[in-house]
Amino acid sequence: MYRATERFVMKIVVIGGTGLIGSKLVTKLGEHGHDAVAASPDTGVNTLTGEGLPEALEGASVLVDVSNSPSWEDAAVLEFFETSTGNLQAACQAAGVGHYVALSVVGTDRLAESGYFRAKIAQEKLISEGPIPYSIVHATQFFEFIKSIAAAATDGDTVRLPPALFQPMAADDVAAAVGRVAVGTPVDGIVEVAGPEQFRLDELIRRRLAAIGDPREVVTDPNASYFGITPDERTLMPGPDALIGETRLEDWLKELAAA
Ligand SMILES: NC(=O)c1ccc[n+]([C@@H]2O[C@H](COP(=O)([O-])OP(=O)(O)OC[C@H]3O[C@@H](n4cnc5c(N)ncnc54)[C@H](OP(=O)(O)O)[C@@H]3O)[C@@H](O)[C@H]2O)c1
């Protein structure tokens, strides 16, 4: 990430700045000398109602949206991303913000079977068709999300997952990539980021559950649902130009165990 110079300290407002990626991002931007402001209901900023947005955005040059909907129910998540993005765009225009950055998911455009991803598609459409220069960062699944993948695919003592390839990454590397994009020039397009290794969903979850003595059995099922979609082998994979995070899963697990 580019370090701020005395003449070039940017005010960067991070919507969802108290969340997993947001809190790491606010810390990293601050370490690089920028004026990073965490914005979320916890800090008095609500993108659904617009509360606190004009005050938070005063003097800001960049907005980064790494928020997430509290509910993933189809209608609720669509309402969250559509309403929030509309309110954010209006507030950014009023404040003269020149770069709108948002975090989304690798393959989003291929995942419209899922209500969650239809909401992310709607968010991206508003941003790309909107008036503010923008950059959308597409990240692969976070290592921190692996537990939720197993939980969502569990029925009793069985975890049913398709053998789809994926290339997960550490939330720290996601935050670093978003930070780099935020202090750069708007790309008016998508930047992909991914982890350094590829795995199959079913195999990785089977390995992880065995490693922690979890008794659930992982069944490989090409027709199993993954958050409402049935991915084929490469649906979740990034393209050849993706930027690659440095943290390998084994190293991340070691650090987690040490902590
Ligand atoms: N999970 C993955 O593997 C993955 C992969 C690629 C991309 N992504 C994307 O990454 C993004 C961030 O995910 P995350 O896991 O870091 O999220 P998270 O930890 O769940 O944090 C969500 C943040 O959104 C804030 N928020 C909720 N409602 C809000 C509102 N009405 N107004 C303003 N802020 C609000 C929360 O604030 P409070 O704490 O105050 O409620 C919190 O700071 C999501 O857009 C997701 O699509 C996720």
Side-chain angles (χ1 to χ4, degrees):
M1 199 185 300
Y2 302 110
R3 187 166 284 282
T5 63
E6 255 174 53
R7 281 181 301 124
F8 198 53
V9 175
M10 285 193 255
K11 177 174 174 184
I12 302 174
V13 175
V14 180
I15 303 293
T18 55
L20 173 64
I21 301 299
S23 52
K24 291 175 185 293
L25 176 60
V26 167
T27 302
K28 285 180 197 296
L29 289 168
E31 284 169 357
H32 283 77
H34 293 291
D35 175 15
V37 177
S40 77
D42 258 7
T43 69
V45 178
N46 189 327
T47 54
L48 275 176
T49 60
E51 183 200 343
L53 276 179
E55 296 83 354
L57 286 171
E58 205 185 322
S61 32
V62 183
L63 173 114
V64 183
D65 183 7
V66 288
S67 66
N68 210 353
S69 172
S71 164
W72 288 19
E73 187 272 322
D74 285 6
V77 67
L78 184 64
E79 159 77 10
F80 179 85
F81 281 113
E82 282 189 335
T83 304
S84 293
T85 306
N87 286 338
L88 284 170
Q89 286 178 314
C92 280
Q93 270 202 293
V97 170
H99 189 184
Y100 192 117
V101 180
L103 178 60
S104 193
V105 188
V106 160
T108 289
D109 40 314
R110 303 188 285 271
L111 304 173
E113 249 181 287
S114 139
Y116 182 82
F117 287 103
R118 285 197 293 279
K120 294 297 286 184
I121 289 168
Q123 177 194 21
E124 290 189 23
K125 188 168 188 292
L126 285 169
I127 295 168
S128 61
E129 292 175 359
I132 306 162
Y134 73 96
S135 306
I136 294 173
V137 178
H138 270 190
T140 53
Q141 293 66 36
F142 313 155
F143 292 154
E144 288 80 352
F145 191 59
I146 288 174
K147 250 192 196 167
S148 309
I149 296 178
T154 297
D155 182 10
D157 289 334
T158 304
V159 181
R160 204 168 282 279
L161 281 165
L165 291 168
F166 76 138
Q167 211 165 307
M169 66 187 295
D172 246 328
D173 290 344
V174 177
V178 174
R180 241 172 264 130
V181 169
V183 300
T185 308
V187 298
D188 287 330
I190 291 171
V191 176
E192 281 195 329
V193 293
E197 306 158 287
Q198 65 178 45
F199 301 92
R200 289 192 188 272
L201 276 175
D202 56 334
E203 281 173 13
L204 179 60
I205 303 294
R206 188 177 292 119
R207 234 170 70 193
R208 282 305 304 142
L209 295 185
I212 57 171
D214 189 311
R216 284 176 290 173
E217 182 197 358
V218 177
V219 174
T220 302
D221 176 356
N223 297 314
S225 162
Y226 167 82
F227 294 98
I229 57 158
T230 314
D232 67 25
E233 191 177 50
R234 302 198 66 83
T235 305
L236 303 175
M237 288 294 283
D241 297 331
L243 306 173
I244 302 298
E246 61 186 24
T247 312
R248 299 173 80 84
L249 179 61
E250 282 308 320
D251 295 331
W252 180 81
L253 289 169
K254 271 186 213 146
E255 260 182 47
L256 189 68

